[in-house]
Amino acid sequence: MSTLSDLVYAQGRSSESDVEWLHRLAGDGQLLADLAFADIVIWVPTADDSFVAVAHTRPGGAATLFYRDIVGDRVRPQWRTQVHDAFHGARIVDSASPDWFEETPTRVRAVPIVRSHTRDEAAGPLVIGVLTRHTNLGETRTPSRQQITFNDCADDLFGMVASADFPDLSAPTAPRRGAPRASDGLIRLDVEGITTFASPNALSAFNRMGFEDELEGESLLEVTSGILPASREIDESLPVVVTGRAPWRTDIEARGVTVSLRTIPLRDHGNRIGAIVLCRDVTELRHQEQELITKDATIREIHHRVKNNLQTVASLLRIQARRTHSEEARDALTQAMRRVAAIAVVHDTLSEGLAQTVDFDEVFDRVLRLVAEVAAAPNTRAQTHSTGAFGVLPSEYATPLALALTELVTNAVEHGLAGREGQVEIAAERSEDTLEVSVRDTGIGLAEGQVGRGLGTQIVRTLIQGELGGTIDWHTIVGSGTEVTIEIPLRWIERTPK
């Protein structure tokens, strides 16, 4: 299904700023639908002076009218005049009589979506679309005080939509997990910050934090100040939020209970008339978030310690190699030192971030520096360079790949270019299905065209074929040199999100 942006841009009548405004409004579609107990639809004009639906939100506390998705549909004939008048007249238009939708009586309100008060002196308000509220009259019953208050709040917000006061671009665009909804708890404040209405869920949330009285008639700022522990550091934004002066969010915590608050100032043609404060008990959510943060920090610390331990082991192997008189033993210890150091590079990279994925291009650049020491061997002058990109890999695949490439590059320098000058190129190519890596050298080629059976070759085969589910192929390049090609199916890699 097309996104809101796709549908809006397809009509060719909206700017990037218009689309951003519509996205912000659609983001609060659930709030409007819950307050109005009605379906909310956003329409934008088309090139032929009609309208197309670009967003739809169903109410959480009432029956929906639209059981089938209407996003992408053109406005129905029975609503077109009303939507047209709201758009071109820049005014709210209510249906004169009940509208029938699939044998259900409804009441429709069309609200112009105004992005700015004036485009210029002569043009008037800049209307970029129309919001319609579709109320199901088939389930009409005597409204409760909460429903009346919710409807009043919805009417205030619709008026703000028509006067470019809502959505508010200064409000946070990315609410944290557990953002409160109207059904979680709603408090209505007057212009002085006094509570005129508190839903049962809102009152319960404050009762759990230690407030034992009724919220109505009380200053929410004084109530909040009274329940917060004196020793706790208070968020500087809290007074502004609980007095309804800014469209911000904050958390308050008392007696082991955490309540998330979101304030929406209410305005009438720019003049502040009060505010809506949405609240939700997010104690359990915050505990879960803290546990995740703690686990992430623990994992990072483990990677850091593993890296330090591996570096210590590598240093011990290097020292032992220097004190060994046997050339064969020295070479074996040096190779082991490089293998351990290559694994340490991956853990070092993982310890720097929370994600369990690594930018393997960065890792491999550091791995190449490790094998550079080999290039400094007597009578060997090797230049190593890489082309292409590996991309981001999960840590469980980054480690065996880094170790395998260390073996291949080291082998190319030590044996392929032994006692001569040459180049080693590592080329990476990542397609949608496969990661292909080639290691080419300009050396003497494979002895008698046969792949060796040494420890390094066995390690590479085990890592590529056994752990990564890939394939590996050795062959001599026509003329001179050796090329090793590795192919790893991306389906193995994509088990872990990138």
Side-chain angles (χ1 to χ4, degrees):
M1 184 178 68
S2 298
T3 65
L4 183 148
S5 299
D6 294 335
L7 288 169
V8 175
Y9 282 130
Q11 313 313 315
R13 297 188 55 172
S14 302
S15 67
E16 185 175 339
S17 298
D18 295 339
V19 173
E20 179 186 2
W21 190 274
L22 292 170
H23 266 294
R24 297 291 289 268
L25 181 59
D28 275 319
Q30 192 63 60
L31 171 64
L32 295 172
D34 290 346
L35 291 176
F37 296 93
D39 287 88
I40 299 297
V41 183
I42 295 177
W43 308 85
V44 297
T46 62
D48 58 356
D49 202 30
S50 183
F51 295 87
V52 64
V54 298
H56 170 222
T57 308
R58 296 178 174 88
T64 181
L65 287 169
F66 308 112
Y67 291 95
R68 291 179 296 276
D69 192 12
I70 67 169
V71 173
D73 292 353
R74 286 185 168 244
V75 65
R76 292 173 178 256
Q78 65 263 40
W79 308 326
R80 180 171 179 176
T81 299
Q82 190 176 349
V83 172
H84 180 277
D85 291 347
F87 182 81
H88 292 283
R91 60 186 178 87
I92 297 176
V93 181
D94 288 306
S95 55
S97 59
D99 172 68
W100 289 85
F101 179 79
E102 296 184 356
E103 301 182 353
T104 301
T106 67
R107 184 172 62 249
V108 181
R109 165 172 285 192
V111 181
I113 302 173
V114 180
R115 188 167 69 81
S116 63
H117 293 286
T118 56
R119 193 167 22 187
D120 56 54
E121 291 293 333
L126 173 57
V127 183
I128 62 175
V130 175
L131 178 151
T132 54
R133 179 190 69 182
H134 302 261
T135 306
N136 188 338
L137 299 179
E139 297 184 346
T140 301
R141 60 182 182 273
T142 302
S144 64
R145 181 165 176 256
Q146 174 168 309
Q147 186 172 352
I148 293 173
T149 302
F150 276 29
N151 281 327
D152 289 342
C153 291
D155 289 340
D156 289 334
L157 291 176
F158 290 145
M160 292 169 61
V161 171
S163 61
D165 289 320
F166 189 81
D168 192 324
L169 294 183
S170 64
T173 57
R176 291 179 293 180
R177 180 169 172 254
R181 293 170 50 167
S183 58
D184 296 320
L186 181 143
I187 298 172
R188 176 74 185 253
L189 303 178
D190 65 15
V191 71
E192 300 297 331
I194 305 299
T195 303
T196 60
F197 172 83
S199 71
N201 285 344
L203 181 59
S204 296
F206 276 82
N207 287 161
R208 286 191 288 272
M209 289 189 294
F211 181 71
E212 299 178 352
D213 206 343
E214 295 291 331
L215 282 172
E216 293 183 16
E218 299 288 340
S219 165
L220 189 59
L221 176 60
E222 294 179 2
V223 169
T224 305
S225 301
I227 61 178
L228 290 178
S231 59
R232 182 173 297 278
E233 184 177 346
I234 298 178
D235 187 344
E236 294 180 358
S237 66
L238 181 60
V240 181
V241 172
V242 296
T243 54
R245 297 180 180 274
W248 295 348
R249 305 169 189 262
T250 191
D251 284 356
I252 55 176
E253 183 177 353
R255 298 176 62 175
V257 176
T258 303
V259 174
S260 179
L261 302 179
R262 177 197 175 185
T263 293
I264 304 173
L266 298 177
R267 297 184 177 87
D268 182 6
H269 294 88
N271 298 315
R272 192 167 63 86
I273 60 173
I276 298 171
V277 180
L278 303 176
C279 53
R280 178 183 181 184
D281 186 338
V282 293
T283 306
E284 187 60 31
L285 288 175
R286 295 296 180 256
H287 284 168
Q288 292 174 2
E289 291 173 353
Q290 188 59 46
E291 288 176 0
L292 289 175
I293 291 173
T294 301
K295 288 179 180 178
D296 285 337
T298 302
I299 291 172
R300 291 178 61 182
E301 179 63 21
I302 289 172
H303 283 305
H304 181 71
R305 294 189 180 188
V306 170
K307 180 263 298 185
N308 288 344
N309 290 339
L310 290 173
Q311 287 181 336
T312 300
V313 172
S315 298
L316 292 174
L317 290 172
R318 182 184 294 108
I319 293 172
Q320 188 67 41
R322 290 173 178 173
R323 295 188 177 185
T324 299
H325 300 292
S326 168
E327 188 68 28
E328 182 178 355
R330 184 182 301 111
D331 289 343
L333 290 171
T334 301
Q335 292 290 353
M337 179 269 295
R338 292 195 188 104
R339 290 162 186 155
V340 171
I343 300 173
V345 168
V346 177
H347 284 281
D348 187 29
T349 304
L350 289 170
S351 70
E352 296 173 358
L354 295 178
Q356 293 303 296
T357 58
V358 294
D359 181 351
F360 195 78
D361 295 287
E362 177 185 346
V363 170
F364 188 63
D365 285 344
R366 298 172 65 179
V367 168
L368 273 182
R369 297 192 202 110
L370 291 175
V371 299
E373 299 176 12
V374 181
N379 301 320
T380 300
R381 294 184 298 278
Q383 295 180 348
T384 59
H385 65 280
S386 59
T387 60
F390 292 90
V392 176
L393 299 178
S395 59
E396 58 264 40
Y397 297 104
T399 299
L401 184 58
L403 187 54
L405 292 177
T406 299
E407 293 292 329
L408 292 175
V409 174
T410 301
N411 186 71
V413 175
E414 283 190 337
H415 301 290
L417 300 177
R420 57 187 298 176
E421 182 177 355
Q423 296 183 349
V424 178
E425 178 186 3
I426 304 92
E429 183 177 351
R430 185 167 181 165
S431 66
E432 190 172 329
D433 302 318
T434 307
L435 173 64
E436 182 175 323
V437 184
S438 298
V439 179
R440 310 183 189 96
D441 66 64
T442 57
I444 58 176
L446 296 172
E448 300 180 354
Q450 298 295 319
V451 179
R453 299 181 179 273
L455 177 61
T457 301
Q458 295 178 26
I459 290 175
V460 172
R461 287 189 185 278
T462 300
L463 294 172
I464 298 302
Q465 297 176 345
E467 295 197 29
L468 296 177
T471 61
I472 184 168
D473 178 57
W474 280 268
H475 56 274
T476 298
I477 302 174
V478 177
S480 64
T482 303
E483 180 178 41
V484 184
T485 303
I486 297 170
E487 286 191 6
I488 302 172
L490 289 182
R491 60 182 176 83
W492 286 68
I493 293 175
E494 290 171 351
R495 289 178 180 174
T496 301
K498 297 181 178 65

